[in-house]
Amino acid sequence: MTRIHHLKIYNSLTGQKEVFEPIHENHVGMYVCGPTVYSNVHLGNVRTFMSFDVIFRYLKFLGYKVRYVRNITDVGHIVDDVDDGEDKIAKRARLEQLEPMEIVQKYTVDFHTILSKFNFLPPSIEPTATGHIIEQIQIVQEILDNGLAYVSNGSVYFDVLKYNESKPYGILSGRNLEDMISNSRDLDGQDDKKNAVDFALWKKAEPEHIMRWPSPWGDGFPGWHLECTAMSTKYLGTQFDIHGGGMDLKFPHHECEIAQNEAAKNHAPVKYWMHANLLTLNGKKMAKSTGNSILPGEILSGDNNILSKAFSAAVVRFFMLQAHYRSILDFSDEAILAAEKGFNRLVEAVATLDKIEAANVSTFDVKSWIKQGLQAMDDDFNTPILIANLFEAVKVINSLAEQKTTLTAADLHEFKTYIHAFIEDILGIELESKSAAKDELIPQLIDLLIAQRNQARADKNWKLSDELRDNLLQLGIELKDGKDGTTYKY
């Protein structure tokens, strides 16, 4: 716990790095806006959640007790992030001819499966928007009671102009309210709002709307921005340390969260706002409509028209962390192939290090190397600098293997401990890409055993043939002999 005060975080609210001082000593509350579960999780989401996974890991590494809340948005997120139109989940349910909660379950499972493959730590709490309707209604009522919202035709809207009389709306994004009003003036009178800049806290459900709940204002559903305010404050308190998400959420989503909390509780909700930058593909914005798109699972399977081959989850994670979370990252075949070479060098070096024996004297300053790695992470979680420091270690390991450099038993133990801690505990990279190698190797081994069994049968060695078949069956692999040869199933 002696190093905690060195950590600096870039605060989007102030536009500068600040020394991290949690509200409650040794405890950190962190909320990250989770996915809207209406489709397969896309690569940009994975990058954002990976950034906060590393932040979560490093805070835990420093000894903090972290409560990490990442929500599931399963209602209320309107298409194109506006207040009018169709809920993303309801729209997908209609297209796939399923119940909305079937859509939610299907894509929540996909989300968890993909994040597990990329070795994410699960959050401390993963609340759903539909599980917190009561809390959302309570906050709407508080804002109404404070005179900063109004009911209109069964919906409730946040009164941005009234709020702006005492608190600045646009404090996070740096937007000017007058500019926002002039840019949206053509929308005036098209809905139930007093002003086009007002946003929905609660939406009236039309008769055909499936997802609906009773409220004091009639049947309806919550506004998207309100959901995160309710879930974050329920589990982290009305003031907490870190709120994160993608850069695209800064406005209007996070701006509205600040306004809602100020309007309900009369104070700012968050001490440090953090935003992960965007991910591009081959230098362009990812979009299904243009074909410039790839899903995380398609990278792992190789089933895509973008990359030359499949890549392991560890390589993809390593590649993504070579860019700082606040930088735009461009994903391309050339870039990830280069990352794979670097990753393999690192894996080989660590395997070599684990075999190296101690000497009587140290000719390399391990403590200085550890300090540089920690300083990189203390500087707003600078993973590219930490990775560069790891490659300095690769040079040292090669020198140790050639006995040009030596380490005492104590220094060697510390070197091994920290190289594993940096790679596995903090960056979350699984060195044992054995898992991917195993997956590729198993079919080859089965084919080899089938070939041996075929040879045994050709030699009329029925005893060996039966033994091979029975042994495979014990391992859960059933052989089927047919006219086209032998096949197998698990």
Side-chain angles (χ1 to χ4, degrees):
M1 298 297 289
T2 54
R3 306 195 62 268
I4 283 174
H5 65 281
H6 292 300
L7 176 62
K8 285 189 173 181
I9 291 177
Y10 181 86
N11 190 347
S12 299
L13 194 62
T14 60
Q16 58 190 20
K17 290 179 190 174
E18 299 174 6
V19 173
F20 180 63
E21 293 174 345
I23 294 166
H24 303 289
E25 191 178 358
N26 297 342
H27 288 72
V28 179
M30 179 167 80
Y31 184 87
V32 173
C33 293
T36 301
V37 282
Y38 72 103
S39 65
N40 298 103
V41 61
H42 65 75
L43 201 57
N45 285 145
V46 170
R47 194 228 172 161
T48 295
F49 299 132
M50 188 180 294
S51 299
F52 289 100
D53 181 63
V54 170
I55 290 163
F56 180 37
R57 285 170 176 275
Y58 190 58
L59 290 168
K60 282 163 68 80
F61 177 82
L62 290 178
Y64 286 112
K65 184 174 173 57
V66 186
R67 177 177 287 178
Y68 174 22
V69 182
R70 187 186 66 214
N71 76 297
I72 296 285
T73 296
D74 55 356
V75 67
H77 192 165
I78 305 296
V79 176
D80 296 328
D81 302 347
V82 294
D83 282 329
D84 293 303
E86 202 167 5
D87 184 296
K88 288 185 175 186
I89 289 157
K91 182 178 180 182
R92 181 54 69 103
R94 186 170 50 75
L95 291 172
E96 294 194 22
Q97 296 185 315
L98 296 170
E99 281 286 330
M101 282 300 138
E102 284 183 275
I103 293 295
V104 166
Q105 178 69 5
K106 176 180 176 180
Y107 293 113
T108 301
V109 168
D110 169 73
F111 175 68
H112 288 148
T113 301
I114 290 296
L115 264 54
S116 175
K117 284 180 179 174
F118 285 97
N119 197 34
F120 283 55
L121 295 176
S124 317
I125 303 172
E126 193 173 52
T128 63
T130 54
H132 296 77
I133 299 294
I134 292 169
E135 290 84 351
Q136 291 168 72
I137 289 171
Q138 285 172 343
I139 291 172
V140 175
Q141 192 61 59
E142 285 177 39
I143 297 171
L144 279 167
D145 291 346
N146 291 339
L148 293 169
Y150 56 91
V151 181
S152 177
N153 192 26
S155 293
V156 185
Y157 293 99
F158 190 93
D159 194 333
V160 171
L161 269 64
K162 184 88 180 287
Y163 170 81
N164 197 62
E165 290 172 7
S166 57
K167 307 268 186 183
Y169 181 77
I171 191 169
L172 180 66
S173 58
R175 298 191 183 209
N176 179 283
L177 184 56
E178 287 180 10
D179 292 342
M180 285 188 254
I181 292 167
S182 62
N183 290 337
S184 57
R185 201 163 268 154
D186 58 327
L187 298 173
D188 282 0
Q190 290 184 15
D191 54 29
D192 302 319
K193 302 177 188 179
K194 286 183 186 175
N195 294 286
V197 290
D198 295 347
F199 57 89
L201 297 170
W202 185 265
K203 283 290 290 178
K204 176 186 177 181
E206 297 305 323
E208 67 276 10
H209 202 95
I210 301 170
M211 303 177 85
R212 60 202 296 138
W213 290 264
S215 81
W217 320 285
D219 281 7
F221 56 96
W224 173 41
H225 313 308
L226 180 71
E227 297 170 355
C228 285
T229 294
M231 290 182 280
S232 61
T233 56
K234 179 177 173 73
Y235 297 108
L236 299 174
T238 56
Q239 286 184 304
F240 55 94
D241 299 298
I242 297 170
H243 192 316
M247 197 74 81
D248 55 325
L249 297 181
K250 192 183 277 190
F251 185 89
H253 188 52
H254 291 160
E255 198 74 74
C256 293
E257 281 192 61
I258 291 174
Q260 287 165 166
N261 214 81
E262 288 271 15
K265 309 296 181 187
N266 204 31
H267 58 67
V270 178
K271 195 169 180 184
Y272 305 91
W273 283 92
M274 299 182 72
H275 292 92
N277 216 323
L278 306 175
L279 183 140
T280 56
L281 183 59
N282 292 322
K284 297 175 191 166
K285 184 180 177 183
M286 279 201 284
K288 280 184 189 173
S289 55
T290 60
N292 193 49
S293 169
I294 189 168
L295 290 170
E298 292 171 341
I299 299 169
L300 306 182
S301 68
D303 184 18
N304 62 80
N305 301 319
I306 306 278
L307 304 176
S308 56
K309 66 186 199 71
F311 293 90
S312 74
V315 167
V316 177
R317 186 170 178 119
F318 176 75
F319 165 71
M320 286 189 172
L321 296 178
Q322 284 182 310
H324 190 266
Y325 78 90
R326 285 192 290 114
S327 304
I328 290 175
L329 171 64
D330 187 51
F331 194 93
S332 70
D333 190 51
E334 187 181 4
I336 196 164
L337 280 168
E340 186 177 50
K341 285 180 185 171
F343 174 77
N344 290 338
R345 273 178 57 214
L346 189 59
V347 170
E348 286 164 20
V350 174
T352 301
L353 177 62
D354 289 339
K355 294 171 196 162
I356 286 169
E357 294 182 0
N360 294 325
V361 67
S362 291
T363 58
F364 170 67
D365 188 348
V366 172
K367 283 187 169 47
S368 175
W369 175 81
I370 292 168
K371 185 180 177 184
Q372 286 168 4
L374 293 170
Q375 282 175 338
M377 289 304 294
D378 284 344
D379 182 18
D380 193 33
F381 311 99
N382 201 325
T383 56
I385 299 297
L386 176 59
I387 288 171
N389 198 47
L390 288 170
F391 280 107
E392 287 301 314
V394 170
K395 292 178 193 171
V396 174
I397 292 164
N398 292 337
S399 185
L400 284 166
E402 294 165 11
Q403 297 185 331
K404 293 176 182 173
T405 302
T406 55
L407 290 175
T408 62
D411 280 351
L412 183 61
H413 174 72
E414 197 165 26
F415 192 40
K416 287 179 179 179
T417 299
Y418 270 88
I419 203 162
H420 280 282
F422 284 148
I423 298 169
E424 296 175 293
D425 299 341
I426 294 171
L427 296 177
I429 296 166
E430 290 184 293
L431 280 173
E432 307 186 0
S433 60
K434 295 174 195 165
S435 56
K438 274 186 208 155
D439 291 345
E440 291 170 20
L441 199 58
I442 287 168
Q444 294 172 38
L445 290 170
I446 295 170
D447 288 341
L448 190 64
L449 289 167
I450 288 172
Q452 280 190 354
R453 180 170 171 268
N454 287 342
Q455 186 59 52
R457 292 174 78 194
D459 295 342
K460 294 192 169 31
N461 187 346
W462 309 117
K463 184 171 182 286
L464 178 58
S465 166
D466 290 346
E467 276 179 10
L468 287 167
R469 182 197 63 211
D470 294 343
N471 287 341
L472 281 167
L473 190 58
Q474 283 183 339
L475 295 171
I477 299 155
E478 183 183 354
L479 300 185
K480 294 234 176 186
D481 296 316
K483 60 181 181 187
D484 296 326
T486 304
T487 57
Y488 66 90
K489 68 174 186 177
Y490 292 101

